[in-house]
Amino acid sequence: MHTTTLARHGMSSVRNGSTWVAFIYIVRRLVPMNTPELSSTEISKALHQVFDTQILNYGAYNLVFASGSSVYANSDVAAQQQPHQEYFLVGYRDTPREAIIAPLALPAIEATGVPTSVDNTNAMRTFIVGDGTYGIELTNGTSFTLRFEPLMPVETHHGSGVLDQQLDIEDFKRVIIDAWQI
């Protein structure tokens, strides 16, 4: 192990014979020994908080959680987003048909940009990319590729666990993907 690697993790130098001690120190700082296991309900509540603080009338939406990517072709829209978004909360409802895609960061569980509303006025198309992966394109050049896992592993600063969203994904597909699919 190099001294520069250790310095980045809080160690300033290495003495002969202490490499193993330094390694254990780094591992303990990077991977907490007592990471609590969270239930699906606890994960859901933590994720809901990000959505609920950004969206008015948040109670009208069902939520699903996805990993994926985003493209914001409009520079005004892109300016409101953080780069390299890879996690998204998707609120959706049937009446009126709408989805709100809110990017967030893990393990901090915090917003990484302004949520994007998708409705009958700006939805260009949805399409199936692969098993559990869908594309959503808007008329303003914004697009998302979202991967939904029925049992999604989630790691946060509060702990980790598996989010069970099997039924919600099927409902989301019916309400949003099937409605605007071309």
Side-chain angles (χ1 to χ4, degrees), residues 45-59 63 89 102-103 109-111 113 115:
K45 285 180 183 179
L47 294 174
H48 263 275
Q49 291 176 355
V50 172
F51 191 84
D52 297 352
T53 59
Q54 298 180 81
I55 308 301
L56 290 174
N57 199 21
Y58 58 83
L63 288 184
L89 283 173
I109 312 178
E110 60 188 19

Side-chain angles (χ1 to χ4, degrees), residues 13 26 40 42 84 92 115 129:
S13 65
I26 290 170
S40 182
E42 291 169 322
H84 311 296
Y92 69 95
V129 175

Side-chain angles (χ1 to χ4, degrees), residues 4 8 18 27 30 33 42 47 52 57 65-66 72 74 82 88 94 107-108 114-115 123 127 136 141 155 163-164 178:
T4 56
R8 280 185 288 181
S18 65
V27 168
L30 297 177
M33 297 294 277
E42 291 169 322
L47 294 174
D52 297 352
N57 199 21
F65 181 60
Y72 302 98
N74 181 310
Q82 291 181 14
F88 303 87
D94 202 358
V114 175
F127 54 95
I136 300 174
E155 292 186 33
L163 178 64
D164 182 353
D178 294 347

Side-chain angles (χ1 to χ4, degrees), residues 4 9 20 33 52 54 63 77-78 102-103 123 139 145 151 153 157 159 163:
T4 56
H9 298 289
W20 184 249
M33 297 294 277
D52 297 352
Q54 298 180 81
L63 288 184
V77 175
T139 56
T145 302
L151 298 171
H157 287 318
L163 178 64

